[in-house]
Amino acid sequence: MNKINSLRGMPDFYSDDLISWTPVENKLEKIFKTFSIGEIRTPILEYTDLFKRSVGDTSDIVNKEIYSFNDRNDQSLSLRPEGTAGVIRSVIEKKLDQQQSKFWYMGPMFRYERPQKGRYRQFHQAGIEFLGYEEGKSDFELIALVCSIINGLDIKNAKLKINHLGDKDSKKEFSSSLVNYLQPFKDQMNEKDIERLNKNPLRILDSKDHKMQEILKDGPSLSNFISESANDLLLSIKKTFGDQCKIEIDNKLVRGLDYYTGLVFEACSSDLGAQDAFIGGGRYDSLAKTLGGKDLPAIGLAIGLERLISISSVSRLNEKKLVFISSTSNIAPLAFKIANQLRNANSNISLDMDLTDSSLKAKLRRANKTNASHAFIFGDEEMTNKTVTVKSLRDDAEQVSMSITECIDFYKKI
Ligand code: HAM
């Protein structure tokens, strides 16, 4: 029979991989709690229309990257490519779209992108959404959170790029001025940028084409279209948090999702390679209305966990590990009872019960190859005497015979 492989860009994770995930996830959760943010969990599957109307059907995400299928009822459903749309759908449904709330979430997202280092088809995000807050205080609070993440997770060589897209009208005005400016250069543009010019002109600012970047140098600048207060906001954010993380105002930062208005930002690290953004976010004041809700000004962000974890030096879990070896001639139920008493006595230790039928010698050899510090041996003699033999696996110290109570006390103190 042919073996079945995983889908491209959708990796499996084993304990050895996850050992660096857990401390980062825990640290993020702690940071979110210090900002008094509550958790939300929304489904992975939503109606395709939700993403068309939010992320936008001119965006690459909806156009080319969404995983969609028709269910048995012929409804088009999609695996979520991001978390914001689902959160807004949910608060509208629960009639929470007229109050202020702060949410965080973590989970898998799906985009049919070309897989490469740092870019997957199933990846994980931790996201934050501040709902019901107009431009101002919440923008500062969210940038404070970004700085806490960068510093709390000890991210080196990080830079936070910020920009302001203006309100709906100034975004429109800038967009048409950009189109007018670029029309005469159409024959020098590549296919992808011509498509962007027709469908979503702002995205051209993101073009990786050098010639395009040269052309854009003399083109209109977003900073001339946005209000004085918007420019002030950018300067004030840079001034306020500049000593906590490196901040740069980048008038070419537009972001790939259609719902943004106002402040947008991206945190990058030169340690990541080509896919260097590990946080992306911004303000999206019109999204709730677009999805049939009330006016709900909002701002949020999402962290790419694979990327963050690969550059975070938050220490790996220093897991304490021990091995319990039952080497009686017949199965000794008491061994399992003692092992469980030990586990209940100290939940910081991982106690591996050797379940094989091999000899004591083979079991000890195997235990020595793990990073376990001690082996607890329970053989025929120990069963008769109601004792456990404790053997250090790290040094040549004499093994010690302990009563079960002594053994539990010893285990508590490890
Ligand atoms: P985004 O910029 O599309 O924003 O994604 C946020 C982060 O997710 C990126 O900076 C990156 O680290 C990670 N990411 C995106 N695609 C992939 C991929 N294919 N493989 C690995 N990591 C990836 C959003 O998703 C918005 N929902 C953020 C937001 C929340 N805006 C407002 N609220």
Side-chain angles (χ1 to χ4, degrees):
M1 282 272 244
N2 289 341
K3 68 179 167 59
I4 299 172
N5 294 327
S6 67
L7 300 181
R8 215 176 143 226
M10 300 204 179
D12 300 309
F13 296 95
Y14 284 80
S15 302
D16 278 354
D17 312 307
L18 294 170
I19 206 162
S20 37
W21 282 65
T22 319
V24 170
E25 287 170 334
N26 290 346
K27 181 77 195 182
L28 283 176
E29 252 191 78
K30 254 193 196 150
I31 295 175
F32 300 160
K33 279 186 187 141
T34 63
F35 277 76
S36 192
I37 303 170
E39 187 182 354
I40 184 168
R41 297 186 192 192
T42 62
I44 284 168
L45 211 50
E46 300 270 4
Y47 287 115
T48 303
D49 271 350
L50 174 68
F51 303 113
K52 280 194 177 159
R53 273 161 67 183
S54 54
V55 176
D57 48 11
T58 61
S59 68
D60 282 354
I61 294 181
V62 166
N63 245 339
K64 301 177 189 146
E65 298 168 5
I66 201 151
Y67 278 92
S68 299
F69 63 93
N70 282 9
D71 70 2
R72 286 166 203 274
N73 222 358
D74 227 15
Q75 303 260 27
S76 178
L77 308 182
S78 294
L79 290 172
R80 61 180 185 194
E82 58 100 54
T84 312
V87 171
I88 301 303
R89 191 265 314 132
S90 173
V91 297
I92 294 172
E93 210 174 328
K94 302 280 178 312
K95 299 195 170 35
L96 301 173
D97 52 338
Q98 269 198 312
Q99 67 186 55
Q100 294 169 323
S101 35
K102 299 177 197 160
F103 294 113
W104 69 266
Y105 51 86
M106 263 188 223
M109 308 289 159
F110 305 83
R111 295 184 194 175
Y112 193 86
E113 295 195 78
R114 194 171 50 77
Q116 64 178 91
K117 184 171 172 269
R119 189 161 71 189
Y120 310 96
R121 289 183 174 172
Q122 177 176 314
F123 59 98
H124 298 77
Q125 282 186 346
I128 299 286
E129 313 295 347
F130 287 171
L131 309 180
Y133 301 93
E134 285 179 5
E135 178 171 282
K137 293 175 192 154
S138 53
D139 300 54
F140 284 94
E141 178 82 335
L142 198 65
I143 297 297
L145 178 61
V146 172
C147 294
S148 293
I149 293 167
I150 292 174
N151 295 322
L153 287 139
D154 203 13
I155 304 297
K156 304 276 182 305
N157 305 317
K159 183 163 73 183
L160 178 62
K161 292 191 269 184
I162 57 173
N163 192 18
H164 199 294
L165 301 179
D167 56 20
K168 246 184 168 172
D169 292 338
S170 46
K171 204 171 154 184
K172 232 189 203 158
E173 252 179 70
F174 173 67
S175 214
S176 60
S177 155
L178 189 65
V179 173
N180 287 340
Y181 169 77
L182 288 174
Q183 287 298 348
F185 298 99
K186 226 172 160 179
D187 53 345
Q188 296 175 48
M189 289 165 71
N190 66 30
E191 222 174 278
K192 193 167 180 186
D193 287 338
I194 292 178
E195 193 188 329
R196 285 169 161 169
L197 185 69
N198 296 327
K199 287 187 174 167
N200 193 353
L202 280 189
R203 291 287 293 159
I204 293 185
L205 299 185
D206 244 6
S207 173
K208 303 280 175 281
D209 187 316
H210 286 298
K211 201 160 28 150
M212 194 68 239
Q213 285 301 335
E214 280 303 310
I215 296 171
L216 285 170
K217 272 188 186 156
D218 297 324
S221 167
L222 195 51
S223 58
N224 297 328
F225 286 77
I226 59 175
S227 64
E228 204 180 318
S229 67
N231 274 314
D232 286 349
L233 178 70
L234 292 177
L235 291 172
S236 180
I237 286 175
K238 186 173 153 86
K239 192 166 163 224
T240 311
F241 297 107
D243 60 342
Q244 292 185 22
C245 58
K246 198 172 164 197
I247 300 182
E248 184 184 290
I249 297 174
D250 177 355
N251 288 130
K252 293 218 161 63
L253 178 73
V254 284
R255 312 258 311 122
L257 302 95
D258 284 0
Y259 52 60
Y260 291 114
T261 51
L263 181 73
V264 287
F265 53 88
E266 234 166 56
C268 306
S269 165
S270 51
D271 294 343
L272 276 170
Q275 302 301 318
D276 64 351
F278 61 95
I279 300 179
R283 176 161 286 284
Y284 53 96
D285 287 347
S286 326
L287 180 57
K289 227 167 173 189
T290 314
L291 294 177
K294 303 266 181 342
D295 257 330
L296 186 75
I299 186 165
L301 62 81
I303 307 159
L305 289 179
E306 281 80 358
R307 296 185 195 174
L308 181 76
I309 287 161
S310 73
I311 50 170
S312 167
S313 37
V314 162
S315 63
R316 294 178 139 232
L317 262 189
N318 200 1
E319 193 189 46
K320 287 183 207 152
K321 192 169 174 165
L322 275 78
V323 178
F324 197 102
I325 296 175
S326 170
S327 57
T328 47
S329 7
N330 298 310
I331 291 181
L334 183 59
F336 295 90
K337 189 172 173 183
I338 298 171
N340 247 16
Q341 282 173 316
L342 293 174
R343 289 183 181 118
N344 292 337
N346 188 346
S347 58
N348 292 322
I349 299 177
S350 120
L351 182 65
D352 183 16
M353 175 64 114
D354 188 321
L355 297 175
T356 65
D357 290 330
S358 42
S359 67
L360 174 61
K361 213 169 146 193
K363 283 178 174 171
L364 277 171
R365 208 178 311 123
R366 210 172 19 249
N368 264 314
K369 283 187 188 152
T370 68
N371 57 354
S373 62
H374 293 81
F376 286 48
I377 302 162
F378 190 76
D380 290 327
E381 202 182 311
E382 284 85 357
M383 187 154 74
T384 314
N385 301 331
K386 299 267 182 301
T387 56
V388 175
T389 300
V390 179
K391 182 176 169 55
S392 168
L393 298 175
R394 299 259 169 91
D395 53 39
D396 295 332
E398 280 281 303
Q399 58 185 41
V400 187
S401 169
M402 296 183 190
S403 71
I404 295 170
T405 321
E406 281 168 347
C407 182
I408 292 173
D409 276 347
F410 173 79
Y411 194 88
K412 271 186 192 160
K413 290 179 195 139
I414 288 176

